[in-house]
Amino acid sequence: MSKQIGVLAMYMNGRRLEELSFFRKLCVSGEKLGVEVLVFTPDDVHENGTRIHTLTYKASERRWVRKWSGFPQVIYDRCRYHGIDNFRKISQFRKKYTKLRYLSKPLANKWTMHQLLSEHPGIAPHLPATLRYKNTKELGEFLKKHAIVFMKPKSGTGGRGIIRLQRLPGANACLMQGRDSDRRIISARKVTVEQIPARLAGWKLGERYIVQQGIPLELKDGRVHDFRMLVQKDGQGQWRVTGCAGRIGPRQSVTSNLHGGGSAISMESLLRSRFGSGKKVSDIRKEAYDLGIRIAHHLEAKFGPFCEAGLDLAVDPRGHVWLLEVNPKPSREVFSRIGEKETYRRAISRPLEYGLWLIRQKQSESS
Ligand SMILES: Nc1ncnc2c1ncn2[C@@H]1O[C@H](COP(=O)(O)OP(=O)(O)O)[C@@H](O)[C@H]1O
Ligand SMILES: [Mg+2]
């Protein structure tokens, strides 16, 4: 039987697929590994529920081919949240086809994630203090403890709706700046803590927001930075750190997300520019890598097996490593941007290698 891995995707507007160029690379990588990669959306399943109209890229012919196929044994779900209708389609699909083996799964929102990760004594010291937003009184207290505070929507992505508060000397005043829900920059302004809910009217702070200790991440030129680490299962089902890269936000931005105009730089050069070229850099790197693996194992114990996660990490001026966020459906473009070709190649092939390993496991179980 030929081996197949399905990529579950979503049509954006009309018939355009969001990550088409990634899917093309998956198909090419699959061809080399001896597995056929079939891209489809819930709309492509035949009404009788047994066949799918899939797309696959033929490297030798340099073109996409559409054809009817059976259900692949393993499914790589790449659907990100794009509105409630798409979300429903995907969850209905996953509910209907429970027998398929999924490589990725929805994890948890930022607040639940914080609580789950706090349970692990080896992870807790790496989590910034975090609360749910309640009122300005608690926010004011929190700002007394932490000179920088971030407010983030618990289900936000891509740096949307993020506010940074910096304590100013004097009565309850702080400097507020950030990004709105369309990722537009909100430039710095001085506010009192009591003014914040009115300034952010309509943001549903109480229902949607977490409040988090801010890690000082400004570089000498005033831009902020952090790191994106990709942890993945390999072809033997073992967790590995595939790579880690630095990201530097554009001027006036409190977030470093690439989609918000951030630029990418190798982890090594960014750490060296801050900590010199000595042992400190290799110690930080090791701490970050060990933490990444620990987080992957802990999440797997909580959620069951999955193939990868993108971790947003911060390194404070003392060299301590912090976890800012876990992304269940990470992109891997950052490695291509910094020219780490081998890391990028691996970042694409590993989910397929892990999928193949699962297929082989299943075959040996049933034989
Ligand atoms: N606690 C924090 N301290 C410093 N910077 C932060 C903090 N939380 C978020 N950031 C900045 O904001 C960016 C986006 O935050 P993140 O939690 O990753 O949310 P999103 O899901 O929108 O990417 C981070 O990559 C980082 O640049
Ligand atoms: Mg992030």
Side-chain angles (χ1 to χ4, degrees):
M1 192 172 75
S2 77
K3 297 189 179 75
Q4 296 173 325
I5 294 180
V7 175
L8 185 57
M10 200 79 230
Y11 291 120
M12 296 291 294
N13 8 29
R15 298 284 274 178
R16 196 177 64 82
L17 292 170
E18 185 182 20
E19 293 187 297
L20 204 57
S21 96
F22 174 42
F23 299 160
R24 177 168 44 78
K25 291 177 188 122
L26 280 171
C27 292
V28 174
S29 175
E31 233 176 89
K32 289 184 191 142
L33 294 166
V35 58
E36 192 178 22
V37 175
L38 301 168
V39 183
F40 67 96
T41 78
D43 295 333
D44 299 321
V45 179
H46 191 272
E47 53 193 32
N48 70 13
T50 59
R51 292 185 307 148
I52 319 178
H53 211 196
T54 60
L55 262 180
T56 190
Y57 185 82
K58 298 270 175 222
S60 51
E61 301 168 32
R62 292 181 152 208
R63 67 187 186 101
W64 285 97
V65 178
R66 216 179 243 291
K67 60 171 184 180
W68 286 101
S69 333
F71 278 81
Q73 297 108 312
V74 161
I75 309 281
Y76 185 29
D77 176 355
R78 286 301 299 174
C79 300
R80 272 99 160 240
Y81 186 83
H82 287 292
I84 191 74
D85 292 340
N86 282 345
F87 177 75
R88 272 203 206 109
K89 270 189 196 167
I90 296 299
S91 26
Q92 272 165 10
F93 180 91
R94 291 189 64 139
K95 259 187 218 136
K96 189 161 175 194
Y97 302 102
T98 44
K99 292 259 154 54
L100 304 174
R101 185 70 197 253
Y102 294 92
L103 291 183
S104 44
K105 53 182 60 171
L107 297 178
N109 69 52
K110 290 180 171 62
W111 172 242
T112 310
M113 187 59 90
H114 175 80
Q115 291 175 296
L116 290 176
L117 292 171
S118 312
E119 293 170 8
H120 191 303
I123 299 174
H126 301 276
L127 303 176
T130 305
L131 304 171
R132 291 182 80 161
Y133 178 88
K134 224 186 206 163
N135 52 42
T136 52
K137 186 163 172 286
E138 271 196 17
L139 181 60
E141 293 298 319
F142 201 68
L143 261 168
K144 280 182 195 146
K145 280 190 220 139
H146 308 285
I148 310 173
V149 168
F150 271 73
M151 297 173 67
K152 312 196 275 197
K154 62 179 195 243
S155 303
T157 54
R160 294 180 186 83
I162 292 187
I163 291 293
R164 183 181 74 185
L165 305 172
Q166 281 174 296
R167 194 169 65 206
L168 293 172
N172 236 3
C174 57
L175 204 61
M176 175 177 122
Q177 66 190 103
R179 300 258 187 174
D180 69 12
S181 56
D182 292 322
R183 230 192 252 135
R184 278 185 298 250
I185 287 190
I186 301 173
S187 48
R189 64 197 68 179
K190 194 177 156 181
V191 295
T192 66
V193 174
E194 287 70 28
Q195 285 169 338
I196 291 172
R199 292 290 177 121
L200 305 178
W203 286 39
K204 299 192 180 142
L205 296 181
E207 288 158 52
R208 297 175 47 216
Y209 269 73
I210 59 168
V211 175
Q212 186 167 78
Q213 167 190 4
I215 311 304
L217 296 173
E218 280 189 9
L219 300 170
K220 280 200 194 97
D221 66 4
R223 290 184 297 170
V224 297
H225 79 285
D226 64 3
F227 297 88
R228 166 53 74 85
M229 174 180 280
L230 183 64
V231 283
Q232 296 180 300
K233 285 271 186 69
D234 68 8
Q236 278 84 45
Q238 299 293 317
W239 282 109
R240 304 255 176 229
V241 174
T242 304
C244 187
R247 303 184 297 188
I248 300 180
R251 280 180 205 291
Q252 310 303 324
S253 172
V254 305
T255 60
S256 64
N257 304 59
L258 298 185
H259 285 300
S263 49
I265 172 174
S266 87
M267 180 186 204
E268 206 70 17
S269 17
L270 187 47
L271 284 179
R272 278 193 193 163
S273 73
R274 297 179 66 214
F275 299 99
S277 53
K279 187 167 170 294
K280 182 91 177 162
V281 167
S282 49
D283 287 349
I284 294 171
R285 202 183 133 89
K286 180 165 184 339
E287 189 178 339
Y289 272 53
D290 291 349
L291 178 64
I293 298 293
R294 211 176 297 144
I295 291 171
H297 280 287
H298 184 62
L299 292 179
E300 191 154 69
K302 294 284 160 192
F303 295 98
F306 61 101
C307 75
E308 62 188 0
L311 308 180
D312 292 343
L313 299 174
V315 178
D316 72 15
R318 287 171 27 241
H320 185 66
V321 180
W322 299 88
L323 173 73
L324 301 181
E325 198 211 358
V326 178
N327 297 275
K329 288 175 187 164
S331 63
R332 50 223 80 214
E333 294 316 306
V334 69
F335 302 114
S336 139
R337 289 224 204 167
I338 61 175
E340 285 190 14
K341 285 202 181 123
E342 183 53 23
T343 312
Y344 186 55
R345 190 196 62 73
R346 260 195 209 137
I348 293 167
S349 69
R350 272 196 171 147
L352 302 175
E353 292 172 46
Y354 173 57
L356 272 172
W357 180 76
L358 285 177
I359 293 172
R360 273 189 229 109
Q361 299 272 100
K362 222 179 181 177
Q363 284 171 346
S364 62
E365 272 166 28
S366 56
S367 65

